[in-house]
């Protein structure tokens, strides 16, 4: 296939490019080289066309293209409401322009990067395993160190795997923009009869992650702290459960989606299937280098969720995707892996 890959010079996009070319696909790579992902003075690597999806003429890039793999995005939870216009412009307006160009040029297959953040908080069960809907955490709870979510009887709600049919409940501007991308893509499939696959990435990590920025995820923050000679600082009590998935597995999920024969709109969790606490992630990194134990600060961010852990079953059954790099191995490698920027 001839594939247009957006964001192809980025942390995830570059690994997608490697795997696609390794399987014999012809890949047209574009990237806007935004400073938050590449550094202030970055230049486009060889073979990468510098393109801003918000204003470029996209039709010529789609000449002869069979499918689009859309990784370009402004990522991360953001800093404050001043970031909202950029999330809307980069993620939503840029994606809408790409869909319009695909409509005009007859390209009818799209695979794109979505995120676990569309779910908001994760799924919960009670003591007997029945679905539960605990109250939101209040500022008073957080300030007093009550970081869990609680059932009406006062018991702690237990986390459960979050499947794709979970209702969306975005809690950040980034999350709102990713859900909007999904909605635009679904509407496009209804009009065109095309195929759009949203890959809901969980906590991606691996070599050449961008260094710590205001938009970085926790893995990059911990790794940057280690590189600076500090110890990882863990928010809340460190008991937050997540799924950390290696970048090579994320790239493999994109390849599986592009090579699939799925039709219409669909969404899949991209995860390792091995839940792990934030404190355990920090501890694994420090243990690898023989460093001091992480510091649990008790600090919190009001918009953070307590637990969000993915159900990998649907991606396994429908896409044939199963992660190969488990956190025990991947985090050990990541502790000394090179960073970007």
């Amino acid at each position: 296939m001839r594939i247009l890959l957006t964001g192809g010079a980025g942390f995830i996009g570059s690994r997608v490019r490697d795997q696609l070319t390794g399987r014999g696909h012809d890949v047209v790579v574009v990237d806007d080289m935004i400073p938050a992902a590449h550094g202030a003075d970055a230049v486009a690597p060889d073979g990468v066309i510098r393109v801003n999806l918000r204003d470029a003429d996209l039709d010529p890039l789609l000449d002869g293209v069979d499918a689009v793999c859309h990784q370009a995005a402004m990522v991360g939870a953001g800093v404050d409401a001043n970031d909202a216009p950029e999330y809307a412009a980069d993620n939503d307006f840029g994606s809408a322009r790409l869909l319009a160009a695909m409509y005009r040029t007859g390209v009818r297959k799209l695979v794109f990067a979505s995120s676990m953040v569309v779910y908001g908080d994760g799924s919960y069960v009670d003591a007997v395993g029945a679905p539960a809907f605990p109250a939101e955490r209040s500022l008073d709870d957080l300030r007093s160190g009550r970081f869990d979510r609680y059932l009406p009887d006062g018991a702690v709600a237990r986390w459960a795997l979050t499947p794709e049919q979970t209702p969306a409940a975005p809690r950040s501007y980034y999350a709102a923009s990713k859900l909007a991308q999904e909605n635009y893509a679904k509407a496009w499939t209804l009009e065109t009869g095309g195929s759009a696959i949203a890959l809901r990435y969980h906590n991606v990590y691996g070599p050449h992650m961008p260094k710590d920025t205001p938009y970085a995820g926790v893995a990059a923050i911990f790794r940057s702290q280690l590189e600076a000679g500090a110890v990882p600082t863990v928010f809340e009590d460190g008991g937050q459960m997540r799924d950390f998935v290696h970048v090579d597995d994320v790239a493999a999920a994109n390849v599986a989606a592009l090579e699939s024969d799925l039709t219409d709109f669909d969404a899949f969790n991209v995860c390792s299937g091995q839940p792990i606490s934030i404190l355990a992630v920090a501890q694994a990194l420090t243990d690898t280098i023989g460093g001091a134990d992480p510091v649990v600060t008790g600090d919190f961010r009001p918009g953070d969720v307590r637990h969000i852990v993915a159900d990998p079953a649907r991606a396994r059954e429908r896409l044939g995707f199963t992660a190969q790099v488990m956190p025990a191995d991947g985090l050990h490698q990541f502790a000394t892996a090179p960073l970007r920027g």
Side-chain angles (χ1 to χ4, degrees), residues 141-166:
D141 286 336
L142 295 170
R143 287 168 180 152
S144 64
R146 286 169 51 88
F147 299 120
D148 285 304
R149 294 183 65 182
Y150 294 89
L151 302 175
D153 63 3
V156 173
R158 297 160 47 197
W159 60 266
L161 298 180
T162 298
E164 288 85 349
Q165 67 266 27
T166 302

Side-chain angles (χ1 to χ4, degrees), residues 4 6 30-32 49-62 72 89-90 93-102 104-105:
L4 175 66
T6 74
V30 300
D31 200 298
D32 193 29
I49 305 167
R50 190 157 191 169
V51 169
N52 186 328
L53 299 179
R54 293 156 57 170
D55 57 23
D57 181 5
L58 303 179
D59 290 24
L61 296 171
L62 291 162
D90 277 3
F93 182 59
S95 296
R97 293 192 77 246
L98 181 60
L99 289 168
M102 292 174 68
R104 290 191 297 270
T105 57

Side-chain angles (χ1 to χ4, degrees), residues 241-252:
M241 296 298 294
R242 299 289 190 270
D243 189 301
F244 280 75
V245 58
H246 195 275
V247 65
D248 287 343
D249 283 323
V250 173

Side-chain angles (χ1 to χ4, degrees), residues 124-150:
Y124 293 88
V125 294
D126 62 18
V128 297
F133 304 93
E136 291 280 346
R137 304 188 299 176
S138 69
L139 277 176
D140 286 342
D141 286 336
L142 295 170
R143 287 168 180 152
S144 64
R146 286 169 51 88
F147 299 120
D148 285 304
R149 294 183 65 182
Y150 294 89

Side-chain angles (χ1 to χ4, degrees), residues 123-264:
S123 302
Y124 293 88
V125 294
D126 62 18
V128 297
F133 304 93
E136 291 280 346
R137 304 188 299 176
S138 69
L139 277 176
D140 286 342
D141 286 336
L142 295 170
R143 287 168 180 152
S144 64
R146 286 169 51 88
F147 299 120
D148 285 304
R149 294 183 65 182
Y150 294 89
L151 302 175
D153 63 3
V156 173
R158 297 160 47 197
W159 60 266
L161 298 180
T162 298
E164 288 85 349
Q165 67 266 27
T166 302
R171 298 168 63 96
S172 69
Y173 302 109
Y174 171 59
S177 74
K178 298 310 283 186
L179 182 58
Q181 280 184 295
E182 290 197 11
N183 289 335
Y184 274 109
K186 185 172 184 177
W188 174 85
T189 64
L190 293 172
E191 179 181 12
T192 65
S195 166
I197 299 176
L199 298 178
R200 293 173 178 167
Y201 301 160
H202 284 251
N203 292 72
V204 186
Y205 71 98
H208 305 293
M209 280 191 88
K211 287 185 179 179
D212 185 15
T213 78
Y215 307 95
V218 67
I221 292 170
F222 287 166
R223 181 63 185 78
S224 296
Q225 288 172 328
L226 289 175
E227 187 162 278
V231 297
T233 52
V234 179
F235 278 18
E236 301 186 13
D237 60 1
Q240 310 94 301
M241 296 298 294
R242 299 289 190 270
D243 189 301
F244 280 75
V245 58
H246 195 275
V247 65
D248 287 343
D249 283 323
V250 173
N254 277 275
V255 174
L258 286 161
E259 294 181 347
S260 76
D261 57 3
L262 297 178
T263 58
D264 305 320

